[in-house]
Amino acid sequence: LSPVPLDSLPTGSIFGVYAHTPGRECFQASGRDGLVAAGYALYTASTELVLSLGSAAHSEGNGVGDGRGEMPGKALGFTLDPAGRGAAGGGRFVLTRPSLRCPARGPYYSLNDAREPDWPQGLRRWVHDARRGLTPSRTKFSSRYVCALVADVHRTLLRGGWAGNPRPHLRLLYEAAPLAHVAEACGGRAS
């Protein structure tokens, strides 16, 4: 038996908001086309809600910004106050991170090391070098992996570093694209 109680593991919900194009069927967009906002909720000892309202890399053509793709990204973080007086008498979300920014560098990578035999050779080499400080930044990376996508991405956005999943099982429309939107709104990069 694991000493970690199963009910204390983090989990999350991811969402994306897509612009509606008249005459076009819903969900015919590919990837990040038409994605105008995105976010996630992280459920741990506290509940956090992160919302991105734009991404500098992908704002062109979505009706937001100056038409040249020059819209600064913005990400906000809210924390649930369960004792707060919300509209329905329950809790309310309080703005706790008014401008969420991802550090340019961080000492962690988030990747399932148990899947190393499945990784492409280039990724194996990078992780090998990163653990030893042999990357261009000379940072000695260490692994931080919870196996909860939202929790791993959230930590990476707060502390910096790299989060990845080389396996092709992430759903583009409602996992990968919304998280990429949030990462870019925080000043990070996504592919």
Side-chain angles (χ1 to χ4, degrees):
L1 273 175
S2 169
V4 178
L6 293 179
D7 59 352
S8 67
L9 296 175
T11 191
S13 300
I14 304 165
F15 63 89
V17 178
Y18 290 83
H20 173 68
T21 304
R24 187 175 184 180
E25 294 244 359
C26 292
F27 302 110
Q28 283 188 332
S30 62
R32 293 186 258 179
D33 293 343
L35 189 58
V36 295
Y40 59 81
L42 175 63
Y43 315 109
T44 62
S46 65
T47 299
E48 293 199 45
L49 175 68
V50 173
L51 175 65
S52 68
L53 303 171
S55 163
H58 294 282
S59 63
E60 189 169 22
N62 67 6
V64 182
D66 67 5
R68 299 175 307 177
E70 299 289 333
M71 184 185 130
K74 175 89 176 178
L76 308 166
F78 301 86
T79 303
L80 179 63
D81 174 8
R85 299 182 65 114
R92 68 184 181 104
F93 281 94
V94 177
L95 180 63
T96 52
R97 301 179 197 277
S99 183
L100 196 56
R101 302 301 300 164
C102 182
R105 300 209 187 288
Y108 307 117
Y109 72 91
S110 180
L111 187 67
N112 186 351
D113 285 324
R115 304 296 304 197
E116 186 267 339
D118 300 334
W119 297 349
Q121 186 56 39
L123 180 57
R124 284 186 197 164
R125 188 172 42 254
W126 183 86
V127 170
H128 176 273
D129 291 349
R131 288 178 180 159
R132 291 158 180 79
L134 301 175
T135 61
S137 70
R138 298 290 180 224
T139 300
K140 277 191 177 182
F141 284 77
S142 63
S143 177
R144 297 289 186 274
Y145 183 71
V146 183
C147 194
L149 180 60
V150 171
D152 287 325
V153 168
H154 186 69
R155 182 193 49 255
T156 301
L157 293 177
L158 295 179
R159 304 283 180 237
W162 182 85
N165 191 329
R167 298 172 64 215
H169 70 277
L170 289 181
R171 275 89 36 186
L172 180 63
L173 192 63
Y174 53 92
E175 288 178 333
L179 289 176
H181 193 275
V182 172
E184 290 177 350
C186 292
R189 287 188 266 174
S191 65

